[in-house]
Amino acid sequence: ISSWLREMKTIICTFSVLSIAARADFKARNCSEVREACLRKGFTFAHVPQQEIPGEHLRVCPQGNTCCTQEMEDTFGQQSKLDFENLLNETSHALRSTFVSKHQRFDEFFLDLLENTERSLNEMFVRTYGKPYMQNAEVFENLFSELKRYYTGGNVNLEEMLNDFWSRLLERMFTLLNSQYVITEDYLECISKYIDQLKPFGDVPRKLKAQITRAFIAARTFVQGLSVGREVAQRVSKVSSTPACIKALTKMLYCPYCQGSIGVKPCKNYCLNVMKGCLANQADLDPEWNQYIDAMLLVAQRLEGPFNIESVMEPIDVKISEAIMNMQDNSAQVSYRVFQGCGQPKPAEMTRSTRGVSDVFSARFRPYSPEEPPPTAAGTSLDRLRIVWRTMQHSVVDIKEKLKLCKKFWSNLPEAMCVEERVTAGNGSEEECWNGHTKGRYFPEVLKDGLTNQVNNPEVVVDITRPDTVIRQQIMALRVMTNKLKNAYNGNDISFQDSITYSNFIKKKLYKCILHFQYLNTVDCIYEKSTFNHKSNLCSWLCF
């Protein structure tokens, strides 16, 4: 018994010594460094513990001994949300700036090109044809007005508009060249029926129609594509964080403070899993985004090729004047065939003005030669447009390079946001980084990108059955735009819907999709494309 008592005393004595040492160690670990670090970050807490306290009150950070109060943890949560939003905004700034600046630059150039081309044509035709042109200038003004309206998104059928232009020009020229007759509205309507048979302007209308159509389709679609890219980038960059994401960010960024581990940054792989969970929906944008970028690059080729808008618009005055000369050269034959088909019009009373007008209109047009000094401001404006276009050609090359760099942006976003030194400790500090619980190695593997791959995310609770509706809306917008771009590359025009109508259309579709989510296995609806029933098929069409 006595030996047993001696052993018990030894054990009790040992525990007492360890207990005293532990209490001494606990007292030695104060929170002064945490207080100072919080002040440097701009936090003004009502109370920061002088030394560690039990952490049973914590809901996010580890509940062992801690330097954090409930107020501190709540404030850290709010700051984590701001930090994440600021980092996302900063990381996507270059992408958004590219689309904003390039859209503005290309749009301004194309509008400037139209305005200067119209001014150049007007100056040349006034100088060449004089009064007959000025009396009929609205025909040409309407041509440029309709071209501008088409470019800016108006509901204009280019082929019909150009056909109408040549019909109006034929009517005006026929009236001027046959001023000895009374040409009525009914007679003019009859003339327009024979324009395809007569070909009074030679082959110019056919060639110009093909050139203008392809050039304007490419220019308008490219600028519209830049606008869509700008809107998608801006909206996706502002998608709100989920409570689960904010909780994971707080644990990663500020829980080290609570354990007094000031300056210990998160492990790189730990950060990647947190960001992949928080940015799961953004990553799902990537497939459509990459296809959209590829389609933009295709249309950019059209801006460099033979059908680029500048090479079509700069000589348009020369081409239209060539058509007018064809009409003048063949006026007798054209008039004879019109008289055969529409009948002989009644003779007009001969006046001095009617005798001279056809002679005035018969002035020949001598095209401007670049080697000659420009006789009027028209030459100056054309020279300026050539300089601007050479600059724009460099811009096309530049934007093609920038677009290539934009591919896979959304799936690469977690990696871009887990910046070494600033956010994470880097791969070289695997044992000296914050793993979410303490300073040490982070063992879980890094997950793949996208919503479905986050089902077992060890850091962020992600509900894969509730995809973000804003992201789904942008996926649909990209899909529609990609289709338009591919058609534009092939020279086919798809009318752009009014932006407000289109926005309302998208919202209605998404609302229907959300209603169906209540009755469907959403995961199957979105991701298992081979096992649709009639409801999930509808859902897939709406959400993808």
Side-chain angles (χ1 to χ4, degrees), residues 129 166-178 188 191 194-195 198-205 319-336 338 361-362 364:
Y129 299 116
W166 292 112
S167 294
R168 299 290 80 76
L169 186 59
L170 171 62
E171 293 171 3
R172 298 300 179 94
M173 286 195 65
F174 186 89
T175 301
L176 286 170
L177 294 170
N178 293 277
L188 290 176
I191 292 173
Y194 288 90
I195 189 168
L198 296 172
K199 297 190 184 307
F201 300 111
D203 207 29
V204 173
K319 294 176 181 178
I320 293 176
S321 188
E322 180 187 339
I324 290 173
M325 287 189 286
N326 284 332
M327 173 72 179
Q328 290 175 233
D329 292 341
N330 299 296
S331 59
Q333 182 181 357
V334 169
S335 296
Y336 175 75
V338 168
F361 197 79
S362 296
R364 306 298 292 183

Side-chain angles (χ1 to χ4, degrees), residues 514-529:
I514 291 168
L515 289 180
H516 277 82
F517 280 166
Q518 299 174 17
Y519 306 104
L520 299 173
N521 182 329
T522 312
V523 180
D524 288 343
C525 166
I526 297 176
Y527 300 104
E528 301 297 332
K529 297 184 178 181

Side-chain angles (χ1 to χ4, degrees), residues 1-153:
I1 293 175
S2 61
S3 76
W4 178 81
L5 288 173
R6 282 196 301 270
E7 288 179 7
M8 286 300 297
K9 286 180 181 180
T10 302
I11 293 172
I12 292 170
C13 181
T14 302
F15 274 109
S16 298
V17 170
L18 291 173
S19 177
I20 292 169
R23 285 199 300 271
D25 182 58
F26 174 75
K27 289 178 181 178
R29 292 166 60 185
N30 63 60
C31 300
S32 59
E33 289 187 5
V34 175
R35 187 184 303 106
E36 292 171 5
C38 289
L39 287 173
R40 287 195 300 270
K41 289 282 289 185
F43 294 115
T44 54
F45 297 120
H47 172 67
V48 177
Q50 295 291 330
Q51 59 186 24
E52 288 182 323
I53 60 175
E56 291 85 354
H57 56 281
L58 299 180
R59 291 173 293 186
V60 177
C61 297
Q63 293 185 332
N65 294 330
T66 182
C67 286
C68 289
T69 63
Q70 183 65 63
E71 176 206 9
M72 293 172 67
E73 189 182 58
D74 292 343
T75 304
F76 287 155
Q78 297 167 14
Q79 187 60 42
S80 296
K81 183 176 184 295
L82 291 174
D83 289 348
F84 177 74
E85 291 172 352
N86 291 336
L87 184 58
L88 178 57
N89 182 66
E90 183 180 323
T91 307
S92 62
H93 175 74
L95 176 76
R96 290 179 285 114
S97 296
T98 295
F99 283 95
V100 169
S101 61
K102 296 303 182 184
H103 173 265
Q104 181 179 356
R105 189 168 187 181
F106 277 90
D107 190 45
E108 287 175 351
F109 168 75
F110 290 139
L111 290 173
D112 190 45
L113 177 66
L114 276 171
E115 181 181 337
N116 282 276
T117 303
E118 181 178 10
R119 185 184 300 117
S120 173
L121 181 143
N122 182 68
E123 291 169 349
M124 286 185 174
F125 275 35
V126 167
R127 187 173 67 253
T128 304
Y129 299 116
K131 186 177 179 180
Y133 164 72
M134 291 186 284
Q135 290 175 335
N136 297 277
E138 73 273 8
V139 175
F140 301 90
E141 292 170 359
N142 185 63
L143 169 66
F144 283 96
S145 175
E146 288 297 285
L147 286 174
K148 183 176 180 180
R149 192 163 74 88
Y150 172 84
Y151 169 75
T152 55

Side-chain angles (χ1 to χ4, degrees), residues 178-183 339 343-351 354:
N178 293 277
S179 56
Q180 68 272 31
Y181 296 105
V182 176
I183 308 298
F339 293 158
Q344 187 85 10
K346 294 179 181 179
E349 294 183 8
M350 294 298 291
T351 64
T354 56

Side-chain angles (χ1 to χ4, degrees), residues 274-512:
V274 171
M275 293 302 178
K276 284 174 182 282
C278 289
L279 300 169
N281 284 282
Q282 283 85 339
D284 280 348
L285 191 74
D286 229 34
E288 290 296 337
W289 176 263
N290 293 338
Q291 290 187 44
Y292 153 77
I293 294 294
D294 287 337
M296 285 289 290
L297 291 170
L298 284 175
V299 178
Q301 294 177 15
R302 294 292 185 226
L303 300 181
E304 298 176 301
F307 289 104
N308 74 72
I309 191 170
E310 189 270 346
S311 65
V312 171
M313 293 307 294
E314 183 186 332
I316 195 172
D317 46 12
V318 177
K319 294 176 181 178
I320 293 176
S321 188
E322 180 187 339
I324 290 173
M325 287 189 286
N326 284 332
M327 173 72 179
Q328 290 175 233
D329 292 341
N330 299 296
S331 59
Q333 182 181 357
V334 169
S335 296
Y336 175 75
R337 294 181 64 183
V338 168
F339 293 158
Q340 278 189 322
C342 300
Q344 187 85 10
K346 294 179 181 179
E349 294 183 8
M350 294 298 291
T351 64
R352 185 173 181 177
S353 60
T354 56
R355 282 196 302 271
V357 71
S358 61
D359 294 333
V360 174
F361 197 79
S362 296
R364 306 298 292 183
F365 175 72
R366 183 170 62 89
Y368 165 68
S369 173
E371 288 75 22
E372 299 176 1
T376 69
T380 304
S381 65
L382 284 174
D383 287 342
R384 186 173 69 83
L385 278 176
R386 291 188 185 104
I387 294 171
V388 173
W389 179 247
R390 281 195 292 271
T391 304
M392 287 308 299
Q393 286 178 316
H394 291 300
S395 294
V396 173
V397 174
D398 178 58
I399 196 171
K400 284 174 67 177
E401 294 304 313
K402 283 185 166 57
L403 285 171
K404 290 175 185 177
L405 294 175
C406 292
K407 290 191 72 172
K408 298 185 178 180
F409 176 84
W410 303 105
S411 60
N412 290 334
L413 198 52
E415 185 75 35
M417 292 182 68
C418 291
V419 184
E420 292 187 15
E421 299 306 323
R422 178 179 173 182
V423 178
T424 69
N427 292 326
S429 306
E430 293 183 356
E431 301 292 345
E432 299 295 322
C433 56
W434 174 253
N435 61 20
H437 304 281
T438 187
K439 185 170 71 171
R441 182 183 294 270
Y442 181 76
F443 290 100
E445 64 177 12
V446 178
L447 301 179
K448 294 180 180 179
D449 300 304
L451 192 61
T452 50
N453 290 316
Q454 308 310 309
V455 65
N456 293 316
N457 191 306
E459 310 305 334
V460 188
V461 178
V462 181
D463 185 355
I464 66 170
T465 67
R466 296 181 63 84
D468 187 274
T469 55
V470 174
I471 301 292
R472 300 298 139 179
Q473 181 180 350
Q474 303 318 305
I475 289 174
M476 185 178 288
L478 286 173
R479 179 169 293 174
V480 172
M481 191 67 244
T482 300
N483 184 48
K484 291 175 182 177
L485 287 163
K486 289 179 178 178
N487 276 278
Y489 175 74
N490 294 319
N492 300 322
D493 190 16
I494 295 182
S495 298
F496 290 105
Q497 300 183 48
D498 178 79
S499 59
I500 297 176
T501 303
Y502 179 68
S503 177
N504 291 336
F505 168 79
I506 295 292
K507 288 178 182 178
K508 288 179 181 178
K509 294 296 184 185
L510 287 170
Y511 177 71
K512 289 181 181 179

